[in-house]
Amino acid sequence: MSIRAYAAHAPTTPLVPFAISRREPRPTDVDIEILYCGVCHSDLHFARNEWGMTTFPVVPGHEILGRVTRVGGSVTKVRPGDLAAVGCMVDACRTCEPCQRGLEQFCLNGAIFTYNGEDRHSGGLTYGGYSQRIVVDEAFTLRVPAGLDPAGAAPLLCAGITTYSPLRRWNAGKGRKVGVVGLGGLGHMGVRFAHAFGAHTVLFTTSPGKAEDGRRLGADEVVMSRDADAMARHAGSFDVILDTVSADHDINAYLSLLRLDGTLVLVGAPPAPLALSAFSVLFPRRQVVGSLIGGIAETQEMLDFCGAHRITCDVELIRMDQINDAYERLLRSDVRYRFVIDMASLAE
Ligand code: NAP
Ligand code: ZN
Ligand code: ZN
């Protein structure tokens, strides 16, 4: 069956309506009518081929939340009528060592990403959430806790897990001083989680107008990162800094704020290499690490944590045909703090 979607056909042309088809559900598949899809900055990097890895046409979208309409005969995780979610992956080999450890994003045989991946079931490319429906194996479908606003929960599927996972891994919690760089989609959830985990949370932003929101979201302090004196006051004091910036910036300025054995976690993915001064890490023995989304079990853990703590994202609902303008606003850091597409607008 043909369904409506939006696709980019080239790096320099706007996204436009595009017809795609989804496979008939197999016994372990879940057919989901998409209600909301978040707009991640990675969608923009992909649509404009900024990472040089896009195969066109690309239907972006990996913060998917919808209503289950049909399930295959052996599905037990969800039932028709339930809310269900899909994040950045739709399958993996499930047998290699990373898959066995619940790190399907690092599958040695290649995780199948939700869009622009190789569709090993139907052939061709995988198409993402800027569409009316998606069919996904139940193992890569997430349950949505009751009581969460569905539009506000959609961005948890990427912005949520991408910040939750490293903050857990590098122990952002009580007694630790944790920085979050950039108050966008990822950053605003980084601030919320670091605060919820009990860390002393500091937001670094280039946007003076976001300071008040930063405090409301849970930051104990807000630092204007372009103010060298304000930055210097925090020299050598952080245990962990989570960097969510999507464009070129000076990571050495943040490394200098880390204490002995402190960790700068890169989750932002600027297209060009970042300059690293050796002395930023030699003295006093600091580390730069990276983190990529999170596995399926941890994504469910994050959703359940959000259900228990009533955590959702701050969203601005848009229509599907406003996507190109939303991308321009992302580039101006003008989003508070995640655009979410109301997918009903695609049916009109
Ligand atoms: P976003 O909503 O556009 O937020 C990025 C924020 O970075 C902006 O709001 C801005 O915050 C800051 N910023 C932007 N340009 C800057 C510049 N030139 N200098 C300094 N700060 C700047 O993007 P997002 O959706 O959160 O994604 C952020 C990055 O993470 C993207 O590169 C995306 O591809 C990547 N990502 C990675 C993963 C992963 O698994 N590792 C997952 C999802 C996304 P202020 O206004 O507060 O300064
Ligand atoms: Zn994303
Ligand atoms: Zn695997």
Side-chain angles (χ1 to χ4, degrees):
M1 187 171 81
S2 171
I3 63 164
R4 294 183 196 188
Y6 254 60
H9 292 271
T12 53
T13 55
L15 277 75
V16 292
F18 181 61
I20 62 170
S21 61
R22 299 291 190 190
R23 66 174 181 261
E24 271 301 302
R26 301 166 309 152
T28 57
D29 278 342
V30 179
D31 188 349
I32 298 168
E33 179 199 355
I34 301 175
L35 302 174
Y36 299 104
C37 183
V39 178
C40 179
H41 205 114
S42 302
D43 299 351
L44 187 161
H45 290 310
F46 255 102
R48 301 190 177 180
N49 196 18
E50 292 177 348
W51 292 329
M53 55 171 91
T54 307
T55 309
F56 290 97
V58 57
V59 175
H62 55 208
E63 294 182 337
I64 298 168
L65 196 142
R67 178 88 51 199
V68 176
T69 54
R70 288 190 294 173
V71 297
S74 54
V75 169
T76 56
K77 202 180 208 175
V78 290
R79 293 190 303 202
D82 287 354
L83 289 178
V86 179
C88 302
M89 297 178 278
V90 289
D91 217 336
C93 87
R94 311 183 199 187
T95 55
C96 72
E97 193 245 6
C99 280
Q100 292 285 310
R101 290 175 57 197
L103 297 168
E104 298 89 352
Q105 71 272 36
F106 305 122
C107 175
L108 296 177
N109 296 301
I112 304 183
F113 290 98
T114 302
Y115 62 79
N116 224 243
E118 177 200 348
D119 189 332
R120 289 181 212 145
H121 301 293
S122 310
L125 290 171
T126 55
Y127 291 131
Y130 296 4
S131 60
Q132 293 178 300
R133 280 175 45 211
I134 191 165
V135 176
V136 181
D137 192 287
E138 69 168 330
F140 284 73
T141 304
L142 286 307
R143 286 183 305 268
V144 180
L148 290 184
D149 167 56
L156 295 174
L157 277 297
C158 178
I161 185 59
T162 300
T163 50
Y164 180 96
S165 180
L167 289 171
R168 282 292 197 213
R169 179 169 175 80
W170 283 283
N171 304 318
K174 271 204 167 30
R176 307 263 288 173
K177 184 171 174 184
V178 174
V180 176
V181 187
L183 198 66
L186 268 55
H188 94 290
M189 293 315 293
V191 169
R192 277 214 161 116
F193 286 134
H195 173 73
F197 298 164
H200 182 84
T201 305
V202 181
L203 166 68
F204 296 96
T205 180
T206 61
S207 305
K210 294 181 183 174
E212 202 180 311
D213 282 342
R215 287 194 195 85
R216 173 180 58 78
L217 290 159
D220 298 287
E221 299 178 64
V222 178
V223 176
M224 292 303 136
S225 54
R226 290 190 174 129
D227 178 343
D229 293 337
M231 293 286 278
R233 285 198 282 278
H234 289 269
S237 67
F238 280 86
D239 297 290
V240 179
I241 298 179
L242 182 70
D243 184 336
T244 76
V245 176
S246 52
D248 190 33
H249 62 292
D250 179 18
I251 59 169
N252 302 289
Y254 296 101
L255 283 164
S256 72
L257 307 187
L258 293 173
R259 54 189 296 179
L260 171 63
D261 289 333
T263 306
L264 176 68
V265 188
L266 296 179
V267 287
L274 297 165
L276 172 68
S277 158
F279 285 97
S280 296
V281 285
L282 296 185
F283 185 85
R285 196 171 66 180
R286 297 164 171 137
Q287 48 205 338
V288 181
V289 301
S291 188
L292 183 84
I293 52 173
I296 294 297
E298 193 177 34
T299 303
Q300 189 65 60
E301 173 192 309
M302 177 274 310
L303 286 169
D304 295 343
F305 179 88
C306 289
H309 293 82
R310 303 257 157 202
I311 292 175
T312 52
C313 307
D314 282 22
V315 306
E316 178 177 337
L317 274 186
I318 61 167
R319 296 168 45 88
M320 188 70 255
D321 60 14
Q322 293 175 304
I323 187 66
N324 296 299
D325 181 49
Y327 280 6
E328 291 308 313
R329 286 181 55 193
L330 270 189
L331 290 173
R332 297 195 296 268
S333 303
D334 175 22
V335 52
R336 294 182 182 222
Y337 282 88
R338 195 56 132 190
F339 294 117
V340 169
I341 306 161
D342 180 353
M343 219 40 83
S345 65
L346 197 49
E348 290 163 11

